[in-house]
């Protein structure tokens, strides 16, 4: 069943449920359309036995022009709102195949659930409630407890799980009770988190469209921290942390590389029209090519697309092509046309988007056998004009990471400038100096 049919079914069932009352004379009452109050709201997810608060802002007098904005520190993520019944709304999480489905209660509050729309996973949901006018996240104004310490700085986090989990690095900023930060790992970053320090306890949460997460911890007497991260039902992982200004993750440029004996990458996958596309096609010969391995379910992949799409649109004429290979939550080209098509349209992607198959790291390794291993969505592979792989970057470093993002951007542009300039004399003389200008 298509996502479009699922949505239409939700509309019909909701309409029947809400408008199903019949008066004694056989005439149905006219349903009064309820509205959502404009302003800031506080929502709370129930994740297993943990409450995960989040904040959002609603703007718009009518749903046709309304905007639902998730608030996380300085980060803002906007979503469209659709009325599906006089007292119910449907908020699709943009390129993520999930939605908030909410009922507007008589007292003006909201209640509903965060629901997966992926066929075969539609039973997965998290209930939530929301109240208007509450701008705080964890602690009501006037009820703060003086923090026992200031935990601003860089922390090395060690996680404990049945499966081996690489260490992560947290960058935290505390101002009084207010705490913000980001957790970096080999595969990418957590996006911006927001929370508080109360006494010797701290908590951070984040909800930007993908499943909500919460980090709860304690400041120990020796200055270390310990706690647990909850990312969904039965998904709880303990961690310990030590402050370390020199803490770093493994070098993302050295994690993934070509196996011995390989200099080039080769693949053939269908595009969103079903046409087979190969890296060896004439379109890519003599060009610098950026290959992205992504998934629409992956927040760091979305952030990477936000970076690459405008860069490509400004620099394509310099002799650059790009390919995104999407691995999705369902091994179905028709489904991928919907999800990857949403990604293309949302972020004005003008480079080729191909469908690689099911989102499984082992499968990616099998389909791209030249790689030593595959461990992260996204992974960026940069290929020179001769078709040889020159660099592979594992994961993505978003803007919230500060200097790490700036370093990534600087190195990306420098490498692309270098590769574009290589063996480009004929191209430059034919098309003018603009083809040799620096990356924008």
């Amino acid at each position: 069943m298509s996502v479009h049919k699922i949505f239409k079914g939700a509309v019909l069932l909701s309409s029947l449920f809400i408008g199903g009352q019949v008066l004694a004379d056989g005439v149905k009452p006219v349903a009064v359309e309820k509205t959502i109050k404009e302003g800031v709201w506080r929502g709370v997810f129930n994740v297993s036995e943990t409450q995960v608060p989040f904040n959002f802002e609603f703007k718009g007098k009518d749903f046709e022009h309304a905007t639902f904005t998730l608030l996380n520190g300085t980060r803002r993520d906007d979503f469209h709102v659709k009325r599906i019944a006089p007292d119910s709304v449907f908020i699709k999480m943009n390129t993520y195949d999930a939605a908030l489905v909410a009922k507007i209660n008589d007292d003006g509050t909201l209640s509903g659930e965060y629901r997966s729309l992926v066929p075969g996973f539609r039973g997965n949901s998290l209930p939530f409630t929301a109240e208007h006018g509450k701008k705080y996240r964890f602690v009501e104004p006037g009820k703060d407890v003086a923090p026992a310490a200031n935990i601003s700085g860089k922390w090395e986090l060690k996680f404990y799980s049945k499966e081996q989990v690489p260490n992560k690095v947290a960058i935290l900023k505390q101002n009084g009770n207010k705490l913000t930060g980001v957790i970096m790992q080999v595969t990418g970053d957590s996006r911006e988190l927001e929370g508080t320090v109360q006494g010797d306890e701290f908590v951070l949460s984040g909800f930007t469209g993908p499943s909500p997460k919460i980090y709860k911890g304690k400041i120990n007497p020796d200055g270390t921290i310990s706690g647990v991260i909850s990312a969904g039902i039965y998904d709880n992982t303990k961690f310990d942390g030590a402050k370390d200004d020199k803490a770093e993750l493994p070098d993302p440029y050295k994690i993934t590389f070509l196996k011995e004996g390989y200099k080039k990458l080769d693949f053939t996958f269908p595009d969103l029209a079903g046409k087979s596309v190969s890296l060896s096609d004439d379109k890519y010969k003599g060009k610098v090519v950026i290959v992205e391995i992504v998934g629409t379910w992956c927040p760091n992949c979305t952030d990477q697309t936000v970076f690459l799409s405008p860069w490509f649109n400004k620099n394509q004429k310099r002799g650059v092509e790009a390919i995104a290979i999407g691995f999705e939550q369902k091994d179905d080209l028709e489904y991928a046309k919907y999800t990857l098509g949403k990604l293309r349209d949302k972020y004005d992607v003008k480079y080729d988007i191909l469908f690689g198959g099911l989102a499984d790291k082992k499968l990616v390794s099998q389909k791209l056998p030249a790689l030593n291993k595959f461990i992260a969505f996204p992974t960026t592979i940069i290929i020179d004009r001769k078709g040889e792989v020159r660099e592979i970057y594992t994961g993505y470093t978003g803007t919230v990471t500060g200097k790490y993002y700036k370093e990534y951007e600087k190195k990306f542009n420098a490498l692309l400038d270098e590769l574009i300039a290589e063996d480009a004399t004929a191209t430059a003389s034919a098309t003018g100096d603009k083809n040799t200008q620096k990356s924008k």
Side-chain angles (χ1 to χ4, degrees):
M1 182 181 293
S2 71
V3 174
H4 305 288
K5 290 181 180 179
I6 296 170
F7 174 70
K8 289 179 180 178
V11 174
L12 176 61
L13 289 173
S14 185
S15 299
L16 290 173
F17 175 75
I18 296 169
Q21 181 184 356
V22 179
L23 298 179
D25 58 3
V27 178
K28 287 188 177 182
V30 177
V32 177
E33 292 189 341
K34 296 180 180 179
T35 60
I36 297 177
K37 294 180 181 178
E38 289 190 288
V40 176
W41 290 66
R42 179 179 185 265
V44 178
F45 287 108
N46 290 307
V47 180
S48 191
E49 297 180 354
T50 302
Q51 290 191 330
V52 183
F54 65 101
N55 299 100
F56 63 89
E57 185 174 12
F58 186 85
K59 290 183 178 179
K61 298 294 184 182
D62 62 274
F63 287 129
E64 184 178 353
H65 303 97
T67 302
F68 175 93
T69 303
L70 289 171
L71 312 176
N72 291 277
T74 60
R75 185 185 176 100
R76 300 291 182 269
D77 291 277
D78 295 335
F79 304 87
H80 295 297
V81 182
K82 185 179 287 290
R83 184 189 292 278
I84 59 173
D87 68 348
S88 299
V89 294
F90 180 94
I91 305 169
K92 177 74 165 57
M93 298 288 97
N94 291 335
T95 60
Y96 311 110
D97 207 12
L100 290 172
V101 183
K103 179 180 179 181
I104 308 168
N105 300 312
D106 291 338
D107 61 0
T109 62
L110 300 177
S111 58
E113 62 184 18
Y114 176 84
R115 183 182 301 170
S116 171
L117 300 179
V118 181
F121 294 90
R122 292 194 298 274
N124 294 351
S125 62
L126 294 173
F128 80 93
T129 56
E131 295 181 78
H132 176 262
K134 293 189 174 182
K135 298 182 179 182
Y136 70 92
R137 178 158 294 200
F138 286 99
V139 180
E140 293 184 46
K143 295 187 177 181
D144 283 317
V145 176
N150 189 310
I151 57 174
S152 296
K154 188 187 292 187
W155 296 76
E156 182 170 16
L157 304 182
K158 181 178 181 180
F159 283 75
Y160 301 93
S161 176
K162 292 180 180 178
E163 298 180 0
Q164 185 175 0
V165 179
N167 288 359
K168 304 180 183 183
V169 174
I171 301 175
L172 304 178
K173 183 179 180 180
Q174 182 181 339
N175 184 6
N177 291 100
K178 186 174 182 179
L179 183 66
T180 56
V182 60
I183 311 297
M184 301 190 304
Q185 55 186 346
V186 170
T187 56
D189 63 73
S190 65
R191 292 180 165 177
E192 190 165 357
L193 303 170
E194 183 178 342
T196 186
V197 179
Q198 301 290 320
D200 63 355
E201 297 182 346
F202 67 92
V203 61
L204 289 159
S205 69
F207 176 54
T208 59
S211 298
K213 291 187 178 182
I214 186 167
Y215 295 77
K216 301 176 72 174
K218 188 176 182 64
I219 305 170
N220 301 314
D222 62 358
T224 61
I225 59 175
S226 56
V228 62
I229 173 178
S230 299
I233 300 174
Y234 310 122
D235 185 1
N236 301 295
T237 307
K238 293 182 178 180
F239 67 86
D240 290 328
K243 198 169 187 178
D244 183 356
D245 292 338
K246 296 182 180 180
E248 297 291 347
L249 296 172
D251 188 341
Y253 296 97
K254 296 181 179 179
I255 297 172
T256 309
F257 49 86
L258 296 187
K259 293 175 182 175
E260 187 175 352
Y262 286 90
K263 288 185 177 182
K264 298 184 178 183
L265 198 64
D266 185 33
F267 57 76
T268 301
F269 295 111
D271 64 14
L272 301 191
K275 177 185 175 182
S276 292
V277 174
S278 299
L279 189 57
S280 58
D281 291 345
D282 289 343
K283 178 178 181 178
Y284 306 110
K285 289 182 179 179
K287 303 284 187 68
V288 176
V289 183
I290 305 165
V291 177
E292 290 293 340
I293 304 174
V294 301
T296 58
W297 46 271
C298 157
N300 293 133
C301 299
T302 302
D303 292 341
Q304 196 283 331
T305 301
V306 171
F307 168 81
L308 181 61
S309 179
W311 185 95
F312 177 79
N313 293 342
K314 292 177 182 178
N315 291 279
Q316 181 184 15
K317 292 182 180 180
R318 300 173 62 208
V320 181
E321 289 293 344
I323 303 171
I325 307 173
F327 289 83
E328 295 298 281
Q329 294 178 90
K330 188 173 175 61
D331 191 9
D332 183 330
L333 180 58
E334 289 302 313
Y335 177 72
K337 287 179 181 179
Y338 170 75
T339 56
L340 291 168
K342 285 284 187 182
L343 182 77
R344 175 197 60 207
D345 297 343
K346 172 72 175 174
Y347 300 111
D348 191 29
V349 176
K350 296 192 181 337
Y351 46 85
D352 288 333
I353 300 181
L354 314 182
F355 176 51
L358 189 66
D360 180 272
K361 294 177 182 178
K362 290 183 179 179
L363 180 66
V364 178
S365 294
Q366 292 171 7
K367 294 195 173 186
L368 299 173
L371 299 180
N372 68 315
K373 57 185 173 182
F374 182 81
I375 67 170
F377 293 95
T379 290
T380 304
I381 304 170
I382 298 180
I383 300 168
D384 66 18
R385 292 180 183 273
K386 295 183 292 184
E388 296 184 357
V389 173
R390 296 288 287 270
E391 182 178 274
I392 301 178
Y393 188 92
T394 302
Y396 180 70
T397 305
T399 56
V400 68
T401 64
K403 74 168 188 175
Y404 293 95
Y405 170 77
K406 291 179 181 178
E407 289 171 359
Y408 168 81
E409 182 182 36
K410 181 179 179 180
K411 189 166 183 177
F412 178 89
N413 282 322
L415 178 61
L416 267 295
D417 287 340
E418 176 188 338
L419 298 185
I420 290 169
E422 288 181 355
D423 301 321
T425 305
T427 302
S429 61
T431 59
D433 292 340
K434 65 180 180 179
N435 275 14
T436 57
Q437 63 188 344
K438 290 187 176 181
S439 296
K440 303 174 182 178

